[in-house]
Amino acid sequence: MTFIFQPNDLTVTHGNDTITFLRKEYALLHYLYIHDGKSFSRDALLDAVWPLESPSDRTVDDHIYRLRKKLKPWEQYVSIETIKGYGYQLILHEHEENSPLAHDDEFKQIASQLYSKYHLYGQGEALEALVLNKAFGISLDEWLRFHKAFIKGDFQAILYDQELPFSEKALYVFHVAFIFCDDVQCQRLFRAFEQSLQNQLFSTRSIDEAQTLAAPHFAIWVGDLAKAEHYLTEADNNVSSVSHGFYPYLQLMHMFLSIAQKQPTKFEILMKKMAVFFAERPYQRELGLYYVIQGLFFITQEQVVTGRAAIHKGLQITKKTRFTSHLFLALRTALFFLEHYVEDRQTERELTRLWGELTDDMDLPLIAAHSEQIILEHIKP
């Protein structure tokens, strides 16, 4: 059976049993779990789980002790072993046989297409079932496992991973950093992002998304509307077909920019065009963000009740996709616009409350600082 980590409530589920952990207990267990069988020194674990902090020498040992007590009901499946004179390693005792389909190239292609289709339509629950149900015989490579962790909002996996090359995870680290940065940090991060594009730090898997979607979004977040328009113009030259996977998100960025630039006529044209698009292609992640953007626009046009209802509908759609990272992105973007471009204190207070519930057990300054630190370690002037 698979261990299912839920970062929002700091729980781990195995079969029908669920155990709740404290924040650092969860982080330590998750880090050991994603590197099962690998030995770590106490210093390495301190660096991974307590970055930018100065815990005592007994910190790791105390947390291991508490983890072992909590994991006692699962001792036949998992244990944390002491490596004498060195540190610790997590051992999984349950070994399932590989599916006979594991080496079938045709099946791998079908499975990849199915994964992509569920991802496109924002079917997070279906993706989870597809990957976790071993009867399907589907396994993910290292990059897709990392991608799935981002979808679930397991940002600790993004920041603590030491196996995947930075180029493969750079875009995700930037997303995490931008979600949690304050205005000053965001400005620094945007400069680092543009430098990363210039230095070609993104892998071939992520460079198109970085240039086409992330660049205008990040530019809007830092209030550089001229840069945002520049990046969108370049993106339009590369994404002309409505069948392109980037098309809907790109149009949503145009809608956000038109609100910031106070161009209601342009927004209404885009809104009608995208209503037709979503009627034919109900991509749930983008549809949720569409309603959020629509709601923000209605509020600027003094249709406050209609606007609030649209924002609520958009967030509900996004939540149902089980793409936790996109719920963070939708809320973060809405709050940014309510702070800078849309006047509605009641809605801002309500979304701030929702943000607080979503991030209740997260050390936001630490996440922001750690993600920025990881980025700057790889930026060369």
Side-chain angles (χ1 to χ4, degrees):
M1 286 185 184
T2 303
F3 290 84
I4 302 174
F5 285 75
Q6 296 290 352
N8 290 338
D9 54 9
L10 302 178
T11 61
V12 179
T13 299
H14 184 263
N16 295 321
D17 298 324
T18 297
I19 297 175
T20 301
F21 297 89
L22 298 177
R23 183 166 57 85
K24 288 300 185 182
E25 292 173 352
Y26 177 93
L28 178 58
L29 178 59
H30 184 268
Y31 186 78
L32 288 169
Y33 177 77
I34 63 176
H35 300 99
D36 66 283
K38 184 174 180 179
S39 300
F40 290 97
S41 68
R42 290 171 177 80
D43 286 342
L45 292 174
L46 285 172
D47 289 342
V49 182
W50 287 268
L52 309 181
E53 298 181 46
S54 300
S56 68
D57 294 339
R58 290 286 306 170
T59 297
V60 172
D61 295 337
D62 290 343
H63 279 73
I64 292 292
Y65 173 77
R66 295 204 296 268
L67 283 179
R68 283 171 170 164
K69 287 185 66 175
K70 290 189 175 183
L71 293 171
K72 187 72 174 174
W74 296 342
E75 61 184 353
Q76 61 181 314
Y77 305 116
V78 61
S79 64
I80 300 176
E81 307 292 340
T82 299
I83 309 300
K84 189 174 181 180
Y86 183 67
Y88 299 98
Q89 69 176 162
L90 182 141
I91 302 294
L92 294 175
H93 302 298
E94 183 180 34
H95 300 286
E96 302 177 62
E97 294 184 3
N98 289 331
S99 165
L101 294 170
H103 303 291
D104 187 304
D105 291 337
E106 182 182 4
F107 176 76
K108 287 181 180 179
Q109 184 176 0
I110 293 171
S112 177
Q113 291 172 349
L114 186 58
Y115 184 95
S116 298
K117 189 65 71 173
Y118 279 139
H119 183 270
L120 183 63
Y121 278 87
Q123 301 298 295
E125 188 172 3
L127 273 180
E128 190 74 8
L130 184 70
V131 172
L132 293 181
N133 192 329
K134 298 300 182 182
F136 292 137
I138 294 175
S139 60
L140 301 181
D141 64 23
E142 185 70 21
W143 185 84
L144 283 177
R145 283 196 296 273
F146 193 88
H147 178 68
K148 188 169 88 60
F150 178 74
I151 288 173
K152 292 178 64 177
D154 190 353
F155 300 130
Q156 295 175 82
I158 306 297
L159 300 181
Y160 297 152
D161 178 87
Q162 296 180 349
E163 303 298 320
L164 209 61
F166 179 74
S167 62
E168 292 288 355
K169 65 181 182 181
L171 182 57
Y172 296 109
V173 177
F174 269 108
H175 271 298
V176 173
F178 268 98
I179 287 172
F180 298 112
C181 64
D182 58 32
D183 287 346
V184 175
Q185 286 175 317
C186 281
Q187 293 290 341
R188 290 199 301 265
L189 286 167
F190 187 61
R191 290 193 293 271
F193 176 79
E194 291 197 298
Q195 192 170 345
S196 297
L197 287 176
Q198 182 179 346
N199 294 352
Q200 300 180 336
L201 291 186
F202 297 100
S203 71
T204 55
R205 295 202 207 208
S206 60
I207 183 59
D208 288 344
E209 183 177 348
Q211 291 176 327
T212 305
L213 304 183
H217 199 160
F218 294 163
I220 292 172
W221 268 353
V222 299
D224 194 336
L225 304 187
K227 275 280 179 65
E229 189 160 22
H230 166 75
Y231 282 125
L232 284 172
T233 299
E234 286 191 340
D236 287 336
N237 294 329
N238 297 322
V239 181
S240 57
S241 170
V242 296
S243 298
H244 196 292
F246 291 167
Y247 178 84
Y249 196 87
L250 184 58
Q251 302 311 307
L252 298 180
M253 290 303 100
H254 275 292
M255 293 173 74
F256 271 127
L257 183 60
S258 66
I259 292 178
Q261 292 178 329
K262 298 181 180 180
Q263 298 178 334
T265 301
K266 178 182 176 181
F267 184 95
E268 288 172 348
I269 293 171
L270 288 165
M271 182 171 63
K272 291 176 182 177
K273 180 173 71 171
M274 293 311 294
V276 174
F277 176 91
F278 287 121
E280 298 174 352
R281 299 174 176 83
Y283 301 159
Q284 295 299 288
R285 288 171 302 146
E286 288 85 356
L287 181 62
L289 192 55
Y290 169 76
Y291 279 113
V292 171
I293 298 169
Q294 190 182 71
L296 292 169
F297 173 75
F298 285 148
I299 292 172
T300 66
Q301 301 303 298
E302 300 183 355
Q303 301 175 50
V304 178
V305 174
T306 302
R308 290 171 179 169
I311 291 173
H312 178 74
K313 181 177 182 179
L315 293 176
Q316 286 300 110
I317 291 173
T318 306
K319 188 174 182 179
K320 287 179 180 178
T321 66
R322 303 287 184 89
F323 278 60
T324 305
S325 57
H326 286 74
L327 182 57
F328 273 101
L329 285 168
L331 262 177
R332 170 74 168 81
T333 304
L335 284 168
F336 172 81
F337 270 79
L338 285 163
E339 182 180 352
H340 296 282
Y341 300 109
V342 181
E343 180 68 31
D344 183 0
R345 296 304 179 195
Q346 180 177 326
T347 300
E348 186 174 358
R349 285 194 297 270
E350 173 62 15
L351 296 193
T352 300
R353 182 185 65 79
L354 292 175
W355 177 262
E357 292 176 357
L358 193 60
T359 61
D360 184 44
D361 292 308
M362 294 182 173
D363 189 335
L364 302 190
L366 179 62
I367 291 175
H370 189 199
S371 54
E372 183 179 9
Q373 179 188 46
I374 292 171
I375 289 167
L376 295 179
E377 285 175 355
H378 293 85
I379 300 294
K380 295 181 180 179

